[in-house]
Amino acid sequence: MISKRIEEALNEQIKEELGSAYLYLAMAAYFEAENLPGMAHWMRVQTQEELAHAMRIFNHLVERGGRVKLQALAEPAFQWNSPLEAFEAAYKHEQYISERIHKLVELARAEKDYPAEVMLQWFVAEQVEEEDQALKVVEMLRRLGDSGRGLLWLDKELGKRQGQRVGEENQGGEE
Ligand code: OFO
């Protein structure tokens, strides 16, 4: 069984992961509107990853006899002034999520919930990668400055990101 405190905290984190998916989906829509398909692709892959993160916690709760309670999501931003501003926001968001994960690990330790702690260790490592990925793009965009050609090159590069894209599941299949 799982304690009420951990159950609540994990439910809160499911909301945060779904909120991350919502934010990146909004960014995907922004990049689509800006005619930057590579960046939109990057954000669609990121959205799918966030959904998988939420489901990891969802499944953990189910396996532990906890109850999943989904919560309302805040409306994400709609517009950014530049690709740099969007990726800076993504980086900042990942730093925020890392802090939350670290707090959850502390809580799991305090409650002596070792299964939750082990499950959360995966997220600790994942967050290092999440921050690194976003920061790398921020740094490249800063280096490119106002170069339009540079932006198109980077868009192509980001379009090569591996992974499943959100919205791709039913392509060619039945609804
Ligand atoms: Fe779930 O890692 Fe990003 O937010």
Side-chain angles (χ1 to χ4, degrees):
M1 256 330 247
I2 196 160
S3 76
K4 277 287 151 213
R5 261 188 101 190
I6 298 282
E7 185 187 76
E8 266 170 33
L10 291 183
N11 268 309
E12 187 71 27
Q13 190 59 29
I14 291 175
K15 182 193 80 180
E16 293 290 343
E17 299 294 341
L18 292 174
S20 299
Y22 221 25
L23 172 66
Y24 295 130
L25 192 56
M27 287 183 180
Y30 160 71
F31 285 123
E32 296 284 5
E34 291 291 311
N35 287 319
L36 291 165
M39 293 186 185
H41 163 81
W42 196 98
M43 287 296 171
R44 282 176 186 247
V45 173
Q46 189 62 31
T47 301
Q48 187 64 40
E49 273 199 9
E50 298 299 350
L51 294 174
H53 294 173
M55 288 313 296
R56 225 171 228 271
I57 304 171
F58 183 110
N59 290 338
H60 180 83
L61 270 173
V62 170
E63 283 169 11
R64 305 269 318 276
R67 182 73 168 89
V68 172
K69 185 171 188 294
L70 296 179
Q71 301 169 22
L73 298 180
E75 185 177 312
F78 171 70
Q79 187 67 25
W80 290 268
N81 289 321
S82 64
L84 176 60
E85 195 182 278
F87 273 96
E88 279 175 339
Y91 175 54
K92 209 167 147 214
H93 181 73
E94 289 306 328
Q95 288 179 304
Y96 161 74
I97 295 293
S98 297
E99 265 173 43
R100 288 197 52 95
I101 295 289
H102 297 164
K103 289 218 169 82
L104 280 172
V105 173
E106 282 164 26
L107 178 67
R109 280 192 186 155
E111 296 268 310
K112 295 194 169 33
D113 187 333
Y114 303 115
E117 192 184 334
V118 169
M119 184 272 293
L120 289 164
Q121 287 304 333
W122 182 89
F123 281 89
V124 172
E126 175 70 6
Q127 280 310 120
V128 173
E129 199 184 302
E130 293 277 88
E131 285 190 32
D132 180 54
Q133 283 185 150
L135 183 59
K136 278 200 174 110
V137 181
V138 165
E139 283 169 351
M140 280 191 270
L141 282 165
R142 282 188 187 144
R143 212 167 299 161
L144 292 178
D146 290 334
S147 162
R149 286 179 77 176
L151 186 66
L152 291 181
W153 166 81
L154 183 59
D155 187 59
K156 270 217 169 78
E157 286 301 305
L158 296 185
K160 295 177 191 163
R161 183 174 179 183
Q162 300 289 314
Q164 195 183 4
R165 291 151 40 105
V166 72
E168 201 168 50
E169 295 86 346
N170 290 325
Q171 270 181 16
E174 291 190 12
E175 287 295 312

